[in-house]
Amino acid sequence: MGHTITAKTPGVFYRKPSPDAEPYVADGATVAEGDVIGLIEVMKTYREVKADAAGTVATWHVDDEDEVSIGQELVELDT
């Protein structure tokens, strides 16, 4: 069974804390509820995107530095 994590705010989505860093969550990694999976930048303010369920990363629906809107699917977890 799957669970989709969506954007709670519009902005630019980042999978990494900085351009030269590793992603918060690798493809196929297991996350716990509350783990940071990325950031959304809105007007130079960064908001953490946290997993709202536990599971394994199955599919990313956005790439690093993609613009996202409220409710847009970010990642699908296998729960």
Side-chain angles (χ1 to χ4, degrees):
M1 183 165 211
H3 175 78
T4 303
I5 299 173
T6 60
K8 305 296 187 239
T9 184
V12 178
F13 180 76
Y14 295 98
R15 287 187 57 194
K16 304 182 279 187
S18 66
D20 57 344
E22 293 295 317
Y24 284 103
V25 179
D27 296 339
T30 300
V31 296
E33 186 173 346
D35 285 354
V36 175
I37 63 158
L39 300 172
I40 295 180
E41 176 193 3
V42 181
M43 298 175 57
K44 302 295 179 193
T45 301
Y46 294 86
R47 297 173 189 229
E48 293 181 335
V49 178
K50 295 182 179 181
D52 54 4
T56 302
V57 174
T59 306
W60 285 98
H61 296 290
V62 294
D63 290 321
D64 193 42
E65 299 185 27
D66 278 357
E67 289 191 29
V68 297
S69 56
I70 294 173
Q72 183 173 346
E73 295 179 344
L74 302 175
V75 64
E76 183 78 21
L77 300 178
D78 284 334
T79 54

